[in-house]
Amino acid sequence: MGMTATEKIFARHAGRDRVRPGEIVTARIDRALLNDVSGPIAFERLAQMGVKRLRQPDLAVLVGDHFAPPKDVASARALRSLQRFADEHGVRHHYDIGTGGIEHTLLPELGLVRPGDLIVGGDSHTCTYGAFGAIGIGMGSTDIAAALAMGELWFTVPATLRIEFHGERQPYVTGKDLILHLIQRLGVDGAAYRSMEFGGPGMASLGMDERMALCNMAVEAGAKTCIVPPDEKTREWARRATGGEGVVEHGDADADHADRLEVALASLPVLCARPYSPGNVAPVAEVRGVRVDQAYIGNCANGTLTDLRQAAAILRGRKVARGVRCVVVPATRDIYRQALAEGLVDVFTEAGALVSPPTCGACAGLSTGVLAEGQVCVATTNRNYRGRMGDPESQVYLANAHVAAASAVAGELIHPEAL
């Protein structure tokens, strides 16, 4: 019996010829990521362990993104703690205001993610790195502290759920819609402690940005991790971003999968997730007419250049409706600069939108678009639990960038083609 791509990555990092789902293995780590929320706690744990100096400082990546730019004294202290730790331990990969962006878009952009890597992060959406043929696993701050102290961690090898996409997408259907469809089918715990492996001929139509959107929300189906086994698009990206192709892993033909799902892309409509769960999914056409107070375009996998281009295509020559806030958040400094170069920022500001510096911001209810009671937001973010973006009585509808931009213009949830 062969192995899946996920099992091969675990086996190689554990120094084993093969592993099986359910086995506990100790595996070396390629990167350990901390941000301004998870970092300060991890630093305390490292001090309690007696770690005075990291033995492998290049394992660590520190990104100030949740509270950047700082909105109050507490957030300024959190960002300062990253700088101090980087200085004390000789951490080269520290990114703050003006040098970085939102972590899960930033690391691939910097070439700090490679196909075949095993990455742990103090953020649940670390699974985004599956888009690049890597394994990314979100963990608590204490686990990340242990990874930094030892350079390795123990894992239970997850079983693999194989998902194959077939056919061609309808207009305005994006990677966001694909993952919303899967969460609708599986439920928010249907992939619990599994690795979601995405493949099939339909994957070829998804660029790297849309693969990020697909992988980013695997955790919302309960998955431990996910992976898109590399194809030529992945290899091309890796050569450009990292200077090499990494270690390309594909599952064996006789690999054992816990389950398989087939998705006919031609039958998928444009979708949204209604309050208060990413699993409360419906076609956008069925919820048309819901009044919106805010449209928010951005997050750790949907503030990409692809998302900004999609939003700009809708907003060009149009105006944001009176009484609606439209917030656009390029995910990294370089995406912001490219959006400027392409004239996208002019499109947004001419339409009446606010273009924010890179930040997690309102996605986690922290700043730059927090909602008051009774307010409704359509957002390209990844969670819409009660109180996620502000007051517990506010509501968030998750959708792709086409939908968010169109809804900003219409003042209500609307299918883009209705414009």
Side-chain angles (χ1 to χ4, degrees), residues 2 21 31 105 128 202 238 241 264 278 345 369 402 412:
R31 301 283 181 200
T105 306
T128 306
V345 172
H402 297 296
E412 62 183 47

Side-chain angles (χ1 to χ4, degrees), residues 101-102 297-299 303-304 308 328-333 335-337 339 345 348 355-359:
I102 306 177
I297 301 162
N299 89 324
T304 68
L308 301 190
V328 181
V329 188
T332 70
R333 177 194 63 177
I335 291 172
Y336 197 118
R337 292 175 66 189
V345 172
F348 298 139
V355 182
S356 162
T359 179

Side-chain angles (χ1 to χ4, degrees), residues 27-75:
R28 63 176 175 82
I29 303 301
D30 292 302
R31 301 283 181 200
L33 167 68
L34 289 165
N35 57 44
D36 41 334
V37 174
S38 55
I41 302 169
F43 304 154
E44 289 180 11
R45 299 295 178 264
L46 282 164
Q48 292 166 358
M49 295 174 192
V51 176
K52 293 183 171 54
R53 184 82 174 182
L54 294 181
R55 288 182 294 174
Q56 302 178 70
D58 278 359
L59 284 183
V61 183
L62 311 178
V63 182
D65 58 2
H66 281 61
F67 296 122
K71 62 185 177 64
D72 52 27
V73 174
S75 55

Side-chain angles (χ1 to χ4, degrees), residues 169 203-212 233:
R169 293 177 282 163
M203 280 300 305
S205 69
L206 270 67
M208 301 307 292
D209 288 351
E210 289 197 277
R211 295 179 189 193
M212 286 176 62
K233 285 186 179 179

Side-chain angles (χ1 to χ4, degrees), residues 84-108:
R84 286 181 170 176
F85 186 86
D87 292 345
E88 291 169 4
H89 291 266
V91 175
R92 292 188 303 128
H93 301 304
H94 170 231
Y95 304 97
D96 203 342
I97 298 167
T99 62
I102 306 177
E103 55 198 333
H104 303 313
T105 306
L106 179 67
L107 267 67

Side-chain angles (χ1 to χ4, degrees), residues 372-414:
E373 69 277 4
Q375 288 192 315
V376 177
C377 177
V378 55
T380 65
T381 56
N382 44 38
R383 286 183 176 151
N384 61 345
Y385 307 128
R386 186 180 291 276
R388 170 71 177 183
M389 289 185 74
D391 190 89
E393 297 306 314
S394 62
Q395 296 186 341
V396 179
Y397 289 77
L398 305 179
N400 70 39
H402 297 296
V403 174
S407 300
V409 172
E412 62 183 47
L413 268 166
I414 191 172

Side-chain angles (χ1 to χ4, degrees), residues 139-379:
M139 294 183 166
S141 296
T142 302
D143 297 300
I144 305 303
L148 287 172
M150 300 185 296
E152 61 183 21
L153 275 180
W154 68 267
F155 301 86
T156 302
V157 178
T160 294
L161 169 61
R162 173 74 179 179
I163 298 155
E164 296 203 349
F165 298 105
H166 300 273
E168 297 182 1
R169 293 177 282 163
Q170 296 185 43
Y172 302 112
V173 171
T174 73
K176 190 75 160 186
D177 301 285
L178 271 58
I179 191 62
L180 289 176
H181 167 76
L182 290 171
I183 298 169
Q184 180 185 35
R185 285 179 64 174
L186 293 165
V188 294
D189 60 357
Y193 218 93
R194 292 181 174 180
S195 174
M196 297 173 74
E197 181 178 292
F198 303 110
M203 280 300 305
S205 69
L206 270 67
M208 301 307 292
D209 288 351
E210 289 197 277
R211 295 179 189 193
M212 286 176 62
L214 175 66
C215 291
N216 178 258
M217 291 185 68
V219 68
E220 311 308 335
K224 179 184 181 73
T225 189
C226 65
I227 189 169
V228 179
D231 58 10
E232 185 52 39
K233 285 186 179 179
T234 318
R235 293 185 179 94
E236 180 183 346
W237 165 83
R239 289 191 292 267
R240 183 178 67 253
T242 74
E245 294 189 1
V247 180
V248 174
E249 300 284 13
H250 289 272
D252 296 321
D254 60 344
D256 186 25
H257 298 97
D259 204 353
R260 286 178 175 268
L261 292 180
E262 304 284 334
V263 179
L265 294 176
S267 66
L268 287 190
V270 177
L271 297 169
C272 70
R274 300 164 293 188
Y276 290 99
S277 169
N280 188 18
V281 175
V284 167
E286 291 184 8
V287 295
R288 178 176 178 173
V290 173
R291 179 189 58 82
V292 299
D293 301 285
Q294 177 170 288
Y296 187 90
I297 301 162
N299 89 324
C300 49
N302 283 109
T304 68
L305 196 57
T306 296
D307 293 287
L308 301 190
R309 288 168 176 163
Q310 290 170 351
I314 299 293
L315 290 172
R316 185 172 284 108
R318 296 186 170 103
K319 296 289 185 181
V320 173
R322 182 176 177 82
V324 176
R325 279 194 311 247
C326 183
V327 181
V328 181
V329 188
T332 70
R333 177 194 63 177
D334 285 355
I335 291 172
Y336 197 118
R337 292 175 66 189
Q338 184 62 35
L340 279 167
E342 293 186 15
L344 306 183
V345 172
D346 284 343
V347 172
F348 298 139
T349 54
E350 179 64 25
L354 166 72
V355 182
S356 162
T359 179
C360 293
C363 176
L366 299 172
S367 66
T368 324
V370 174
L371 302 175
E373 69 277 4
Q375 288 192 315
V376 177
C377 177
V378 55

